[in-house]
């Protein structure tokens, strides 16, 4: 595991920071300090972590992750994010701001699309390379 300095401090913009632990598909973990004013995907990108994305609007579901432990986040920047998505533990990393420490499994786009399809909700790119 590679660790980036993490603490409940303030970033250079004065926003509170939270520890975000990312579980990546190959089994590695990366720990970040993410400000409450920063999207999780952007913080990962700045730390050199490659995560999937297409729209950066919370519409396509490509950046989906899943909570591994209870935690809080603000998803208000997402174009389409439903209460049932949160209830199922899904988080859109490109539009989510942390509000507490988070532990997440990344690369959950296929699981989130399946979840959405089962509920009759929008699931963009379903059936397109959904072999994952």
């Amino acid at each position: 595991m590679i660790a980036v300095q993490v603490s409940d401090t303030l970033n250079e913009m004065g926003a509170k920071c939270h520890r975000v632990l990312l579980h990546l598909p190959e089994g590695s973990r990366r720990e970040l300090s993410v400000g409450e004013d920063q999207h999780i995907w952007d913080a990962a990108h700045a730390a050199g972590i490659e995560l999937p994305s297409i729209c950066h609007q919370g519409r396509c579901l490509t950046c989906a992750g899943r909570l591994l432990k209870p935690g809080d986040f603000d998803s208000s920047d997402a174009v389409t994010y439903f209460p049932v998505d949160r209830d199922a533990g899904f988080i859109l990393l490109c539009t989510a701001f942390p509000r507490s420490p988070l532990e997440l499994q990344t690369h959950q786009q296929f699981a989130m699309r399946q979840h959405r399809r089962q509920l009759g909700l929008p699931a963009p790119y379903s059936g397109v390379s959904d072999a994952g």
Side-chain angles (χ1 to χ4, degrees), residues 59-83:
R59 179 189 317 262
C60 72
L61 311 183
T62 304
C63 68
R66 200 163 202 174
L67 293 173
L68 295 175
K69 294 184 178 177
D72 191 28
F73 56 92
D74 173 355
S75 60
S76 63
D77 273 1
V79 173
T80 53
Y81 186 76
F82 300 96

Side-chain angles (χ1 to χ4, degrees), residues 11-13 15-20 22 32-47 49 51-53 55-59 63 72-79 91-100 102 104:
N11 66 15
E12 60 278 354
M13 301 301 290
K16 186 175 181 182
C17 295
H18 297 286
R19 173 186 172 269
V20 176
L22 302 173
L32 305 168
S33 179
V34 184
E36 288 191 346
D37 62 344
Q38 187 176 28
H39 294 130
I40 296 166
W41 191 98
D42 293 336
H45 180 74
I49 302 168
L51 296 176
S53 66
C55 75
H56 288 272
Q57 298 175 8
R59 179 189 317 262
C63 68
D72 191 28
F73 56 92
D74 173 355
S75 60
S76 63
D77 273 1
V79 173
I91 179 173
L92 298 175
L93 302 177
C94 74
T95 57
F97 300 105
R99 294 296 182 253
S100 73
L102 297 171
L104 310 166

